[in-house]
Amino acid sequence: MIRNRFVTLSPEIEEAKREHKPIVAMESTIISHGMPYPQNVETALECQRICRENGAVPATCAVIDGQICVGLTDEQIDYLGREGKNVNKASRRDLPLLLALRRDGATTVAATMIAAASAGIRVFATGGIGGVHRGAETTMDISADLEELAHTPVCVVCAGAKSILDLNLTMEYLETKGVPVIGYGTDELPAFYTRKSGIKVPWRLDDPGLIADAICAAEEIGYEGGMLVVNPIPEEYSMDADAINKAIDEAISEANRLGIKGKETTPFLLAKIKDITGGSSLAANIQLVYNNVRLAAKIAASI
Ligand code: PSU
Ligand code: MN
């Protein structure tokens, strides 16, 4: 735990730390850039409720006025949701500047892992992580989320990765960096909107308690880096693979045609896929996040 003048824990998180209660971190780029208003705010608040219902204290993270905030008020969440893309999308490389200039930033998985680790929080729930983009062999577009998983000791629970990414290369990268990838109740990497990708994961665990044991073992040996738990979207909300893959291909072609690059790529693709699918991808996205929060709370409670 690294406490300094740039990190603020909410009173609820301070108390949870003091009393050794289970805590689950959550990101805020998903609020500002990952979903439209008002579903983004409704989803973020519902995630916090589900987290509490499953025995853990929610710590949504963002940079507000140059402070890394661990635990946000409902008003702060509403602000990030309403402002949407006007808020800086804050990944690792943005943090020093946002702090020094006293700006606001919605934290990506990478930046949220840094916030969580600075508060000694070991479990983090989100929807999808960034990864190696398709065509990365020429663009070198690889999300900083993967490097963060290699270095920062936080267990991230997600629904796999969208096929806007090259899933095979993403798995290779995680292997090279020594990041454990654990399928929760599955042998396969889920592809976010669908439960299967055809790509094997190195480990499968069916019990949140065993995932907690792995986190504790890593901590005891001073293991550098985090872990990735991949949790398939519940069957009843999973999408038709052909339809969603067609929408993703179309969104990628459009991004290439418009020359979208850098940090704009992922938010552009997410919004485009939502439009192409007439909003049904958003409904699936919301449900898989809830499912991940439930699992993360159970893992945190077992530590
Ligand atoms: N994937 C999603 N939804 C998201 C993101 C990714 O399905 O909201 C967001 C997360 O905040 C993630 C970030 O950390 O995008 C990755 O952005 P980039 O690819 O620019 O690193
Ligand atoms: Mn990128």
Side-chain angles (χ1 to χ4, degrees):
M1 189 145 112
I2 313 146
R3 302 294 279 274
N4 58 54
R5 70 189 168 99
F6 292 111
V7 179
T8 303
L9 275 55
S10 69
E12 188 188 17
I13 299 301
E14 285 283 6
E15 187 196 299
K17 291 294 303 175
R18 251 194 331 270
E19 296 179 1
H20 303 287
K21 288 188 188 157
I23 306 174
V24 173
M26 297 181 207
E27 58 151 316
S28 45
T29 297
I30 190 175
I31 304 174
S32 60
H33 291 67
M35 290 183 190
Y37 182 81
Q39 288 93 338
N40 53 2
V41 172
E42 288 161 13
T43 303
L45 297 177
E46 179 66 5
C47 281
Q48 304 208 123
R49 196 192 63 72
I50 291 171
C51 185
R52 291 200 171 87
E53 188 179 80
N54 286 275
V57 180
T60 308
C61 299
V63 177
I64 307 278
D65 201 16
Q67 285 286 307
I68 296 177
C69 294
V70 180
L72 300 181
T73 62
D74 291 1
E75 290 69 32
Q76 288 171 324
I77 288 175
D78 191 69
Y79 161 74
L80 294 170
R82 275 178 195 278
E83 287 296 315
K85 296 195 170 77
N86 295 329
V87 179
N88 243 299
K89 174 180 165 187
S91 194
R92 163 181 270 275
R93 58 110 187 255
D94 305 296
L95 288 178
L97 283 300
L98 294 172
L99 304 188
L101 304 176
R102 304 201 178 189
R103 301 275 278 276
D104 300 332
T107 49
T108 62
V109 169
T112 304
M113 287 178 75
I114 295 171
S118 70
I121 298 172
R122 290 174 287 181
V123 185
F124 167 9
T126 188
I129 58 158
V132 180
H133 279 261
R134 293 200 213 165
E137 60 276 22
T138 51
T139 63
M140 290 188 66
D141 190 351
I142 300 172
S143 174
D145 292 353
L146 299 184
E147 275 307 300
E148 209 58 52
L149 281 162
H151 296 297
T152 303
V154 175
C155 173
V156 178
V157 180
C158 70
K162 291 193 175 73
S163 47
I164 60 171
L165 303 173
D166 187 318
L167 300 184
N168 279 299
L169 293 187
T170 300
M171 288 298 286
E172 291 292 348
Y173 198 96
L174 291 166
E175 178 175 353
T176 300
K177 294 291 177 172
V179 179
V181 178
I182 303 163
Y184 178 66
T186 181
D187 301 300
E188 260 186 58
L189 176 71
F192 198 85
Y193 299 114
T194 56
R195 294 171 59 83
K196 289 185 181 306
S197 65
I199 300 167
K200 287 263 170 292
V201 285
W203 290 94
R204 171 191 176 140
L205 293 176
D206 297 342
D207 171 4
L210 293 177
I211 301 174
D213 289 348
I215 294 170
C216 294
E219 185 167 277
E220 275 190 51
I221 63 165
Y223 194 83
E224 197 200 0
M227 267 178 215
L228 190 64
V229 173
V230 293
N231 185 28
I233 183 171
E235 192 84 62
E236 62 269 39
Y237 301 111
S238 78
M239 297 182 72
D240 177 68
D242 290 340
I244 190 66
N245 287 329
K246 204 166 145 274
I248 289 171
D249 289 344
E250 205 177 316
I252 292 176
S253 303
E254 177 84 355
N256 289 339
R257 213 167 47 74
L258 296 173
I260 307 281
K261 279 210 261 310
K263 69 195 285 192
E264 271 79 49
T265 303
T266 299
F268 176 88
L269 294 173
L270 300 181
K272 200 79 214 164
I273 292 164
K274 192 207 113 222
D275 290 347
I276 297 169
T277 60
S280 65
S281 68
L282 178 61
N285 196 346
I286 291 170
Q287 292 301 327
L288 66 84
V289 176
Y290 295 162
N291 191 47
N292 295 342
V293 171
R294 252 174 248 125
L295 175 57
K298 284 182 199 150
I299 295 168
S302 309
I303 290 180

